[in-house]
Structure formats: structure tokens, C-alpha cells
Amino acid sequence: MPDTDISRAMQRVVEQFVPESVRTVGAAGTDQTIQAAHDALGDHWRSGGVVQILPSYDPVEEEFPLMWRKTATLRGGNHTVIENPTASEPTIVVDIDAPVNRPPGPHFYDLTIRGGKHGIEKRGGRYAMFRDVTVKHAAEDGFHVADAQEYETSDGMEEFAPNTHRFYGCVAEGNGRDGWYVGQGIHGVTLASSNAYFNGRDGVNWRKNYAGHIQGGSFEQNGRNGLRFEKARAFEAENAYVEKNGRAAGEGEMTIGVLVQEHSPGLTFSDCYFQGGGVEAWALYNQGSQTTLRDCYSRSHIKGFVYNSESAVDTEWARQSHTLGQGEHFGGGQGQRTRDNGVIIPQDLSTVPGQFEGDRGVHVDEDGPVFCLWHEGSWYQPDGTAV
């Protein structure tokens, strides 16, 4: 094929799919509003492109919510502020009605959002990326990841859930409800080096979702909990800093840094720092199953490090791995089959079934403690007799 034919073919592709690849917003830009710049990127969700916000941008020209429906990038500068005075409408709604099953998704960089119902409301579409985005003073949630729904795609492909969102270096501060709300059925959400301060309810509220990850970040002085897990599954929080939450609690109410509610299996907390500061009663209140704690530091809590409620099953304390501040109490509660490095802590095992073949525990009766092994439905002592 002659070069001229190839060139003309490429030109047709560009004209069809990338009519405008870069738009600038501000007095000296191509557009006066972010919405106009977004809409000019092309009609197809794959058009991509970049909307760059200039220092001369004035959000007074915007009508909220801003509807972001393409796998494009919105990029601000070091001092870019989007002010939304409308408490009844989100500031930015990300809703891509398209089969975005692989990266790249939409990207958002270097923005501060003030006001609105939610700062960011994430609906349809996968693989959204938020980096250095700060949300302040939203009426409800700073970052609101809506419950998973079944989305009908425009080209007839299979429906999909809006999973796999990433927040790097983001901040939720002083919002009326949660810093982050992550809704039902969402999985694969990552918060890395992201912080939640002074929010009215929870720093991060994980509700009926799974396979999430917290890497670093601070969760301080929120109204209810720093981190809250309701029927959440398979989460890991590592290197997180949790301090002085429960600011909205009434006098005499228990305050908790991290709450793991019932029906929340497989949560792991490692290398985290819990600072009570005379406000939090417990660093972590555990009602879940297979909760694992390792290599954490805890200090200055009124009650202690971890409360293991009666509904908690197979909690792994790994007790000697933790460091406690002066006077800090380790734990309390009557959890079922509570473990220390895999071994069920000393208790009467006669009414406690093992979890798996070869399970280990320490049985205590009037003769003292005896190390036991679970085999074929019974606990066996070293002399071969069953408990």
C-alpha cells in the first residue's frame, strides 16, 4: 500500500477517534469550563485526551455536577481549586457507561475540591486513578464510591461492576459524613499514602465490599471511626496511622480507632500505629472472623489495644509481635478460638471444636494446661487420650 494511502487512513482514525486530544481551561485556554473541555474531547468514550486547568480558571462559570464520562485525564496545578457552593449536588461525577475492563481508565491529578454534596462521586467504569486530589467540606462524603450496579453498555457487551479504583496521596478533610465511602459489591480499591482528617463520621467506611488495600496514610480525629469495615472481606491495612477518632461520640459512649464488624472475614492489620491520646477507648474493636494483627504499635488508649468480642472467631493476635506503650493494656473480650501464632490460647477446649485437621490449642482444666492436637473430630493430649 502506498505511503499516501497509509497517511490518509491514519488521518481518518485521528479525525474519528481523537478530534481534540488536549484542552485547556481558563481565561487564556480553549474553554472556560471543565465540562466544555471534557465534552470537546470527542464523542466516543475511548477518545481519551487531557483537560489541563490553567491558573486563570474560575469555577464560578461551572454548573454542577461535572459529568466525566470518558477515559480522559483531568489535571490541575499545585493550587487548583474547584469550588462547589451547591450542597445538594456532587462536584465531579465519574460515570463511564462503557466496557472499561482494562486500564487505562479516567485519571485525576493535582486538584482541591471544596463543597458539594460529595467531592467525587464514582459510579460506572473501572480503573479510575486519583492522585494528589484533596476534598474538603463536602456536605456528605469526600470520595463516594457508589454501590455496584449492573450497567447496560452502549455496544451490547456484557454488564460489569465499577471496580478497581486507586487513590494515591489523596486527602479527605472536614467533610460532613465519611472521608471515603466505598459501597456494596465494589472490589479492588486501593488507598496509598492517603489521609482522612476531621470528617463527621468515618475516615474510611468500607461497606459490604472486598479485596481492598490500605498502604500507609493517616486517619485522625474523625467523628466515629478512623477505619470502619461492615461485612467487608479480604482487606489488608499496613503502615497506617490511626489517632484520636470518635470526636462526635457523646459523653460515656465508647470510641474506637478501627471497627471490624460481624461477617467481615479475612482482615489483616500489620505494621500500623495506633495512638489513643486519651480519646479512643480501644485501638481496634473486632467482631469479625480470621482477623489478623501483626507488628503493630499501640499506646494511650483508655481500655487497651484490641477488644475481641464474643462474635469474633479465630482472631490471630500474634501477641509478641506488637509493641505497647507504657501502661497500655493488650486486649479483652471473649472471642471464639482466639489464637496466638496459630495456637488457640489457653482455655477449656472440651466445648471448642478445632477449625481444621491438625489444629493446635492449649487445654486448661483442674490439672493445668496441656498442649493438644485436633484429629478426626477430637482434641488429643500428648499421652494419646482425648479431651
Side-chain angles (χ1 to χ4, degrees):
M1 179 183 292
D3 290 344
T4 54
D5 291 342
I6 295 175
S7 299
R8 283 195 291 268
M10 291 299 295
Q11 181 64 31
R12 286 195 297 271
V13 170
V14 170
E15 290 174 351
Q16 180 180 359
F17 294 110
V18 194
E20 294 285 353
S21 60
V22 178
R23 307 294 295 187
T24 53
V25 184
T30 58
D31 304 277
Q32 294 300 301
T33 65
I34 295 171
Q35 189 68 68
H38 165 277
D39 295 346
L41 288 175
D43 295 332
H44 196 276
W45 64 268
R46 283 192 187 275
S47 294
V50 177
V51 173
Q52 176 68 55
I53 304 175
L54 302 177
S56 58
Y57 166 69
D58 188 350
V60 74
E61 302 290 335
E62 297 282 3
E63 293 185 9
F64 298 100
L66 304 177
M67 299 301 298
W68 200 268
R69 299 189 182 279
K70 299 169 184 176
T71 56
T73 294
L74 177 62
R75 187 182 296 276
N78 194 31
H79 300 286
T80 298
V81 177
I82 303 174
E83 189 92 31
N84 178 7
T86 309
S88 61
E89 295 288 353
T91 301
I92 298 178
V93 173
V94 183
D95 191 1
I96 301 175
D97 182 17
V100 187
N101 292 313
R102 295 290 183 270
H107 288 197
F108 302 85
Y109 295 96
D110 298 323
L111 305 170
T112 294
I113 297 171
R114 292 195 185 126
K117 179 182 179 181
H118 308 305
I120 298 285
E121 183 173 313
K122 180 67 190 66
R123 297 179 188 169
R126 295 181 176 179
Y127 294 100
M129 167 81 80
F130 302 88
R131 188 183 294 273
D132 298 320
V133 175
T134 296
V135 179
K136 296 183 177 183
H137 312 310
E140 295 186 14
D141 304 328
F143 299 89
H144 181 91
V145 182
D147 294 349
Q149 302 174 31
E150 292 185 345
Y151 292 89
E152 294 183 0
T153 62
S154 57
D155 55 5
M157 293 186 68
E158 292 183 3
E159 298 170 349
F160 63 96
N163 304 311
T164 321
H165 309 310
R166 297 149 291 171
F167 299 87
Y168 296 142
C170 294
V171 177
E173 180 179 348
N175 299 291
R177 197 166 65 176
D178 299 327
W180 273 264
Y181 172 90
V182 184
Q184 181 173 347
I186 304 296
H187 68 256
V189 173
T190 296
L191 273 65
S193 300
S194 293
N195 309 321
Y197 309 121
F198 299 103
N199 297 288
R201 195 166 65 175
D202 299 317
V204 186
N205 184 1
W206 305 90
R207 187 175 181 274
K208 299 181 181 179
N209 43 64
Y210 52 102
H213 187 204
I214 295 172
Q215 171 64 57
S218 298
F219 307 91
E220 304 178 46
Q221 302 197 53
N222 297 287
R224 189 166 64 178
N225 310 121
L227 302 171
R228 185 184 186 94
F229 301 87
E230 178 187 349
K231 296 182 180 178
R233 297 170 176 266
F235 275 79
E236 182 176 15
E238 54 180 329
N239 301 113
Y241 182 88
V242 183
E243 178 181 5
K244 295 181 181 178
N245 294 281
R247 294 172 59 251
E251 185 175 355
E253 293 182 356
M254 182 169 58
T255 55
I256 305 163
V258 175
L259 174 61
V260 178
Q261 293 187 288
E262 292 185 59
H263 311 294
S264 295
L267 273 60
T268 298
F269 301 88
S270 62
D271 299 288
C272 294
Y273 190 107
F274 296 93
Q275 168 69 51
V279 177
E280 293 176 354
W282 295 98
L284 189 146
Y285 192 99
N286 177 43
Q287 298 173 309
S289 57
Q290 290 87 37
T291 301
T292 298
L293 303 163
R294 290 192 181 278
D295 300 305
C296 295
Y297 189 101
S298 179
R299 65 189 297 267
S300 301
H301 294 88
I302 298 170
K303 295 290 187 180
F305 173 32
V306 55
Y307 185 86
N308 208 33
S309 78
E310 292 183 0
S311 62
V313 181
D314 291 307
T315 304
E316 174 54 77
W317 270 351
R319 185 163 181 161
Q320 69 270 37
S321 74
H322 305 289
T323 302
L324 303 184
Q326 185 175 6
E328 182 84 332
H329 178 64
F330 183 85
Q334 301 295 323
Q336 304 173 51
R337 291 200 306 252
T338 301
R339 299 170 182 274
D340 194 356
N341 288 291
V343 179
I344 299 173
I345 62 174
Q347 58 193 278
D348 182 358
L349 294 180
S350 61
T351 59
V352 179
Q355 183 187 19
F356 51 85
E357 187 74 6
D359 201 356
R360 298 167 297 161
V362 177
H363 174 61
V364 178
D365 58 15
E366 65 274 8
D367 296 326
V370 179
F371 190 86
C372 295
L373 189 73
W374 180 258
H375 176 63
E376 295 183 349
S378 298
W379 288 109
Y380 285 91
Q381 303 177 87
D383 62 5
T385 59
V387 171

